[in-house]
Amino acid sequence: MSSDGGLLAPVWAGTRAEEITSDAAWLRAMLEAEAALARAQARLELIPSEAAAAIDRTAAALVLDPADLARRGRQSANPVVPLVSDLRRAVPGAASYAHLGATSQDILDSAAMLVATRAVRAIVGDLSAIMRDLCELAERHKATVMAARTLGQQAVPTTFGLKAAGWLAGLLRARAHLRELHLPAQLGGAAGTLAAIAERAGAAFGGAADPATALLLVEVFAEEIGLAAPAVPWHAERSAVTELGAALAGTARALGKPATDIVLMAQTEVGELAESSTGGSSAMPQKRNPALSVLVRSAALQVPAYVQVLGQVGEHERAAGAWQAEWLPLREALRLTAGAAETAAELVAGLRVFPDRMRANAELTGGRLVAERLYAHLGPQALKRALAAEDSRLDFPDELLDPGAYLGAASELVDRILATYREQP
């Protein structure tokens, strides 16, 4: 039996994301959904409490082979059908009550949101750790002068504190978007009408179909599984998935920004930052590659591509292909983002900063880094003549050429970002 251990995705290999998003985790979440449904139905007296207890116990203990389910699921285009068959076989006395009134999409969508909730919780925790470290870096290096670079070239002076605060600002927004997610349970029955559940409710109490109890069951099911209660079934309305995807893509991009900058600032000829990782090479023993940054950046480049597949327009009340197309990209977006967050936490915690090198690079062009300032003092013609000279250093007073004297509102901007961070719980 093959298993995906992250050979081609080392950014999440060995992290919590590997366990949270594994085949086994998805399978366990599907069984949790079946158990939660039975418990909810028992609470509303739609099925016997003894049957719900048997389903709950069995689902918690049932061991199934994900690869076997996947192969058997080819006949129904989803793994829930063979899972339900195995669950019913394992509870012969309560088989008729297992999966009662639900459809495969109810179980798989609920399981997906359960897995996503756990992954998002881990991501938010790692983001919080990263932001604490970035806050400290920004504060400590509030006055550490370095060259700002635009289009790959030195532009004007800035501070490393402001750069770190900028990374922090992006992560603040990403965490806020993740926290705003209210991932819903799914329960709509065969075609999103809850008809079978309403009919069952009526039969249970000796009357006609009972839509009110069917609607109440959705709320109780959501409570049992620990997800938000949807206003209506969302089999064919995939906003919950697209909103989750957008939040993951935004988070991956926010993590990718410091990783990308660190790769460039750790270049041999720049030498302003270094990772704690050994970053070995198979061929060049002298190299210390920014391995953690590379891993995070690789995830940041992949997640937006996976997210593009989520929430595609489907047909009628259940999509033929568009729904199935979501499963793998959603799992990859979750595991890549979670893996990147954990890796970035390690990266930032161990980041080494070299202020002297930053200052030396800022003075590398002999005062030309403050050309924008000189323009204001000298006018365009005098500045043009000065820049055309072959002298390595511009012939102006040192106080005019000092990059530390031309930082604008850099310090105030750091304070503003840190204040925003500290105001958030």
Side-chain angles (χ1 to χ4, degrees):
M1 182 180 68
S2 64
S3 63
D4 183 0
L7 179 65
L8 303 182
V11 69
W12 56 258
T15 69
R16 284 171 295 165
E18 180 175 0
E19 180 178 357
I20 291 170
T21 64
S22 67
D23 282 355
W26 283 77
L27 176 53
R28 178 53 47 198
M30 286 187 274
L31 288 168
E32 288 179 54
E34 294 287 2
L37 178 61
R39 293 195 305 271
Q41 290 172 333
R43 281 175 59 182
L44 298 183
E45 300 181 356
L46 300 179
I47 67 173
S49 58
E50 297 81 2
I55 293 168
D56 190 31
R57 287 193 305 271
T58 302
L62 192 61
V63 177
L64 300 175
D65 180 0
D68 175 64
L69 279 183
R71 287 189 290 268
R72 291 160 58 204
R74 287 174 56 83
Q75 301 302 313
S76 52
N78 79 75
V80 178
V81 173
L83 178 141
V84 172
S85 177
D86 290 349
L87 176 60
R88 285 173 171 164
R89 192 177 302 114
V91 283
S96 62
Y97 300 112
H99 195 71
L100 187 65
T103 191
S104 295
Q105 189 170 4
D106 292 331
I107 300 305
L108 193 47
D109 278 352
S110 295
M113 294 298 101
L114 198 55
V115 170
T117 295
R118 291 163 179 166
V120 167
R121 187 181 302 123
I123 294 167
V124 167
D126 283 326
L127 292 184
S128 296
I130 296 167
M131 289 189 287
R132 283 194 298 271
D133 288 336
L134 287 178
C135 178
E136 183 180 334
L137 280 173
E139 191 74 71
R140 187 188 318 145
H141 293 284
K142 191 175 174 181
T144 298
V145 176
M146 64 174 292
R149 297 172 174 96
T150 62
L151 302 183
Q153 302 295 305
Q154 289 196 359
V156 297
T158 186
T159 67
F160 181 62
L162 183 55
K163 182 176 282 287
W167 299 339
L168 172 60
L171 293 172
L172 273 171
R173 286 188 287 273
R175 187 179 67 172
H177 291 155
L178 290 172
R179 284 176 166 177
E180 290 167 0
L181 294 171
H182 298 286
L183 301 179
Q186 176 78 281
L187 185 60
T193 65
L194 295 165
I197 296 171
E199 197 73 15
R200 174 72 186 183
F205 300 109
D210 185 356
T213 299
L215 293 171
L216 179 59
L217 178 64
V218 176
E219 296 180 12
V220 177
F221 170 62
E223 181 181 322
E224 286 289 338
I225 200 172
L227 295 169
V232 296
W234 46 280
H235 292 157
E237 199 290 293
R238 309 302 287 173
S239 295
V241 178
T242 58
E243 289 168 4
L244 170 60
L248 293 172
T251 300
R253 280 190 286 263
L255 291 165
K257 175 55 177 167
T260 300
D261 286 351
I262 292 168
V263 167
L264 296 173
M265 295 172 72
Q267 288 179 289
T268 305
E269 60 272 28
V270 179
E272 296 173 348
L273 297 174
E275 290 188 2
S276 61
S277 67
T278 56
S281 166
S282 64
M284 295 161 282
Q286 84 282 7
K287 291 189 70 180
R288 185 169 182 168
N289 296 318
L292 298 175
S293 298
V294 168
L295 292 179
V296 175
R297 177 167 161 74
S298 74
L301 295 173
Q302 293 178 77
V303 174
Y306 280 116
V307 166
Q308 289 183 41
V309 184
L310 302 181
Q312 298 290 327
V313 176
E315 305 82 8
H316 300 304
E317 282 63 57
R318 179 160 303 114
W323 173 51
Q324 290 82 354
E326 291 176 358
W327 306 341
L328 180 63
L330 177 58
R331 196 255 288 271
E332 293 306 310
L334 286 167
R335 67 184 2 176
L336 284 167
T337 307
E342 186 170 332
T343 304
E346 180 184 354
L347 167 64
V348 174
L351 193 63
R352 299 167 61 200
V353 182
F354 304 107
D356 291 345
R357 186 67 174 174
M358 291 177 176
R359 181 76 188 208
N361 287 338
E363 296 175 349
L364 194 64
T365 59
R368 288 166 176 82
L369 187 64
V370 295
E372 183 184 58
R373 184 188 195 192
L374 297 176
Y375 182 96
H377 285 268
L378 304 175
Q381 295 305 319
L383 178 60
K384 184 176 181 180
R385 289 192 298 271
L387 293 175
E390 296 182 359
D391 296 337
S392 60
R393 181 173 175 82
L394 297 179
D395 187 19
F396 296 109
D398 289 344
E399 60 270 17
L400 201 57
L401 298 180
D402 179 12
Y406 191 62
L407 295 172
S411 179
E412 291 77 7
L413 290 169
V414 171
D415 289 340
R416 180 173 292 185
I417 294 170
L418 296 188
T420 300
Y421 163 70
R422 289 168 178 145
E423 289 169 359
Q424 294 197 8

